Each structure stands twice: as structure tokens, then as C-alpha cells.
Amino acid sequence: RKEVEQDPGPFNVPEGATVAFNCTYSNSASQSFFWYRQDCRKEPKLLMSVYSSGNEDGRFTAQLNRASQYISLLIRDSKLSDSATYLCVVNIGQGGKLIFGQGTELSVKP
Amino acid sequence: EAGVAQSPRYKIIEKRQSVAFWCNPISGHATLYWYQQILGQGPKLLIQFQNNGVVDDSQLPKDRFSAERLKGVDSTLKIQPAKLEDSAVYLCASSLNSPAGQPQHFGDGTRLSIL
């Protein structure tokens, strides 16, 4: 079983749509959780951290369920510029080691 | 603030040859990471340095890969000899220090192709 598993993509949605990405992690000792965004042939960039109480940043909402070891990312009112691969990332232990999911590709069409 | 610098951007070599990558982290960042990203997968940590000491190299194939950060600033990653399965993007990242939750900043990566 992979340590971090994401929905297989790609997701193809029209502009303005709401899209949700799901992620599960296997290590119950995981301490911190993130969503990174990676554009084609570019480096990953931090999109947002994920907190136990859930958190929102504009059109983006992240949720964490520690009991189910499940993380989600909701994007509302999709824009063309949201097209990218979204990586679910888990930090295990105190040392900052990040474990990345395989990524879910999103393509927003006009 | 200057970002993480990596070179070269691209490298093409034949199998069994050697290759080296260089990374200069963001100024003042104590922690440096090397990741391998194979096409269609997420990045996988190869090695983590805290200043000039190794924190985690559990996933580094030590028979062919080596890395150093002698002065606690820039770092090199070497592959010798290269295999076909080493074709990937090699990403360097840095963070201010290494506690959980500290954001990591990535460089543009080196795209390695093995022929």
C-alpha cells in the first residue's frame, strides 16, 4: 500500500465548476499535511497547509479527518489558471520529511 | 529573495556514465533536500541535510548515488554509474529548519535523461 494515495486523474472540468480531490495516508504518526501545486515541467509549490479544523483560502478549501486518515481539497469556481497537478503531501515525524502522493491532474476547459 | 538555484537544467547521458547536480538553497536555510521525481509520480525524498549533516538518506541508492553538503550551504548529488531507471527530474528543496510543518521551497529541478 502506498503511503499517500490520491484520486487517479485526470480531471477535466469546465470553467466555473467545483472540483474535489481526495487523498488518504497510511501512517497514523503523520503530523502535518499540505497540498502542493505543480505546473507542467515546473517545480512543486505550496498551495496550502491543511489543519484539523479545516481551512479556506479564497476558492480553495482543505479538510483533514485524522480518524479516517483522509485529506481533501475543494476548488470552487474553477479558473483556466487552476490547470495543474495537485499533490497531496504528508509530513511524518519531527524531521520535516515529506511524503508525496502521485498527484492528480486537473484540466480546466473554457 | 532569491530562490533555490539548481544546475544544470537538463542533462543527457548514456547509461553507465556519471553525472552530478548542484544546488544552492535559499540563503539562511539550514535544511536541504534532494528529491527524485519520475514521470507521472510525486517527488520521492532521496536525502535530507541539516546544515552539513545527513538527517535521512534511507531512500538513497547508496551503491550508485552520493550527496554532500560540505560547508552546510550548497550541495551536490552524484550518480555513478547511471542506469536507465534514473531518468527523472531531480529536485532540490530547502527550508529554514526541519521541524514538521516548515514549508519547503523547491528549485526548478534538473531533468536527467539516460540513453
Side-chain angles (χ1 to χ4, degrees):
Chain A
R1 182 183 172 190
K2 292 181 182 175
E3 290 189 88
V4 179
E5 291 203 62
Q6 297 186 235
D7 287 333
F11 282 36
N12 297 301
V13 303
E15 267 187 296
T18 295
V19 60
F21 301 131
N22 300 309
C23 171
T24 57
Y25 60 95
S26 61
N27 192 327
S28 58
S30 302
Q31 298 196 356
S32 306
F33 309 88
F34 310 91
W35 284 99
Y36 274 70
R37 170 193 169 129
Q38 187 170 26
D39 292 294
C40 187
R41 303 179 79 84
K42 297 284 190 180
E43 75 278 18
K45 291 185 179 178
L46 179 65
L47 178 67
M48 59 196 301
S49 300
V50 187
Y51 303 116
S52 296
S53 55
N55 49 299
E56 191 173 304
D57 182 3
R59 297 181 294 108
F60 298 83
T61 300
Q63 298 277 355
L64 167 65
N65 184 322
R66 285 187 184 268
S68 302
Q69 296 182 194
Y70 167 84
I71 307 162
S72 66
L73 176 68
L74 186 76
I75 305 176
R76 291 182 301 279
D77 189 23
S78 300
K79 311 291 185 191
L80 295 176
S81 56
D82 294 334
S83 296
T85 295
Y86 290 82
L87 296 158
C88 177
V89 187
V90 169
N91 180 297
I92 296 175
Q94 292 292 334
K97 177 178 179 177
L98 297 182
I99 307 295
F100 285 78
Q102 77 273 25
T104 301
E105 184 182 347
L106 171 65
S107 181
V108 182
K109 306 292 187 185
Chain B
E1 177 183 71
V4 176
Q6 289 189 247
S7 67
R9 285 298 308 276
Y10 304 93
K11 190 74 178 177
I12 300 173
I13 62 171
E14 294 185 348
K15 60 183 179 184
R16 291 189 289 273
Q17 286 187 322
S18 302
V19 65
F21 314 126
W22 174 82
C23 172
N24 193 26
I26 293 172
S27 178
H29 279 196
T31 310
L32 185 148
Y33 311 81
W34 282 103
Y35 290 87
Q36 179 193 58
Q37 186 172 23
I38 292 172
L39 187 65
Q41 299 181 19
K44 181 183 83 171
L45 180 69
L46 293 175
I47 189 167
Q48 176 184 345
F49 291 96
Q50 178 72 15
N51 297 308
N52 61 351
V54 175
V55 174
D56 186 338
D57 64 356
S58 57
Q59 296 193 95
L60 186 74
K62 298 179 186 66
D63 57 333
R64 298 184 300 106
F65 286 63
S66 63
E68 59 184 16
R69 193 185 184 200
L70 293 176
K71 296 182 180 178
V73 181
D74 57 349
S75 174
T76 56
L77 175 69
K78 296 180 182 178
I79 308 175
Q80 179 179 11
K83 291 186 175 181
L84 293 175
E85 62 259 35
D86 299 332
S87 292
V89 177
Y90 290 85
L91 294 159
C92 179
S94 70
S95 62
L96 199 56
N97 43 47
S98 61
Q102 190 70 231
Q104 295 184 19
H105 303 266
F106 285 81
D108 291 337
T110 295
R111 191 171 299 273
L112 175 66
S113 296
I114 311 295
L115 303 178

